[in-house]
Amino acid sequence: MPDQLTSALLIVVAIAYLGGAVLLVVALAKVLLAWSVSWRASGQTSPVDVVLQQRAAAAMAAVAAVANVPPPATDVVAILGAPVAGEADGTVGDGGLAVTRFRAGRPPTVVFARAALTGLSAGAVQSLAAHELGHVIRRERSSAAARYSWLVGYLLLVLAGAGLTAAALAASPQLAGPSLLATMSAAVAFLGLRFTFDRREEAAADLFAIDLTRDLDAAAELMRFYEKSLARPTPDGGPAWSRLERRWFATHPEPQARLAAMRRRLG
């Protein structure tokens, strides 16, 4: 292969590799930033009304009784994540309407945002509780190895790719570029698969909830509230990077797609 063609190929490979590296770093940075913002916001939340605490516990107890399982612990905070202006109850958090916290050695706790309990009907709150209960049950029925295998696999992939690149660089410098590209492409694809897995988990929790409550109207109210208060749909003419992010790195499916799946489930 002529030297000029080889140089041009290596330049193209290097550019592609750097682009993949940037994409990977941005995705990981977003995860860390979301965790950081959520941690800071949780420390600034004001005390929540006891009545709301009782409402959350009652909703969870009701759906757990239908599922014939012990109800998980519940808690209520002013917001989950960073503050986001909403039309219902003034402020919601970008961390969602509810989240299940799993901590090693402790039972799971379903944490509700105050906006969910003040802005939704009783049926919609139960639909939300059933969704989180689905996460709890699926988590309890899966092994720790299954839950963390993706992380182990990702680390092994990166280490193997780094070793392959180093070996190629030592044996034949021309192969270093393709090796780097292959490693980074595989890493980005693996990360995308992880987010795809997260979306499938959310879809499975949705189907569990609709099977349990059989209340499509409540599910529709929940999705509308979520879409109005939290989801920020990217218009077709929006920035390309925003569309790419929503397509490959969103942990939740679009609200309308989730509702359509639940509707199909009920036939």
Side-chain angles (χ1 to χ4, degrees):
M1 182 181 293
D3 291 342
Q4 296 87 346
L5 183 57
T6 302
S7 299
L9 179 60
L10 289 177
I11 290 173
V12 171
V13 168
I15 292 174
Y17 166 68
L18 291 175
V22 169
L23 181 61
L24 181 63
V25 169
V26 168
L28 293 176
K30 283 179 64 64
V31 174
L32 293 175
L33 180 61
W35 176 85
S36 175
V37 170
S38 177
W39 180 81
R40 291 198 307 270
S42 64
Q44 300 170 358
T45 54
S46 56
V48 176
D49 194 324
V50 174
V51 174
L52 296 183
Q53 300 274 4
Q54 294 172 343
R55 186 181 184 192
M60 184 57 70
V63 295
V66 176
N68 196 29
V69 296
T74 59
D75 194 9
V76 182
V77 296
I79 60 171
L80 286 168
V84 173
E87 297 180 12
D89 197 34
T91 301
V92 298
D94 64 0
L97 300 177
V99 65
T100 302
R101 290 179 178 165
F102 297 99
R103 292 172 291 184
R106 299 183 184 181
T109 300
V110 178
V111 184
F112 292 83
R114 178 172 56 195
L117 299 170
T118 58
L120 292 170
S121 67
V125 172
Q126 287 193 9
S127 181
L128 178 60
H131 175 94
E132 296 302 323
L133 181 63
H135 284 309
V136 172
I137 292 176
R138 288 178 63 83
R139 174 88 170 206
E140 290 176 345
R141 292 177 180 174
S142 65
S143 65
R147 291 197 299 270
Y148 297 108
S149 59
W150 73 271
L151 178 59
V152 174
Y154 181 76
L155 293 175
L156 290 177
L157 176 66
V158 171
L159 291 175
L164 178 63
T165 300
L169 185 61
S172 178
Q174 304 93 295
L175 297 178
S179 297
L180 286 173
L181 177 61
T183 301
M184 186 52 61
S185 298
V188 171
F190 200 93
L191 192 61
L193 287 175
R194 172 58 189 172
F195 284 101
T196 299
F197 175 80
D198 286 341
R199 289 193 292 272
R200 291 188 63 181
E201 285 295 300
E202 293 300 327
D206 283 340
L207 297 182
F208 173 87
I210 200 64
D211 285 340
L212 197 66
T213 64
R214 314 296 296 181
D215 191 343
L216 190 58
D217 290 338
E221 178 189 346
L222 177 59
M223 289 299 108
R224 286 194 301 270
F225 187 86
Y226 179 90
E227 193 169 31
K228 177 191 296 185
S229 304
L230 297 170
R232 296 291 181 266
T234 301
D236 293 338
W241 68 268
S242 296
R243 297 198 302 272
L244 179 67
E245 180 189 27
R246 291 297 294 270
R247 181 175 180 84
W248 294 107
F249 299 111
T251 57
H252 288 64
E254 293 293 333
Q256 292 306 313
R258 297 171 65 181
L259 184 59
M262 289 186 278
R263 186 176 290 112
R264 289 194 299 271
R265 183 73 162 207
L266 291 182

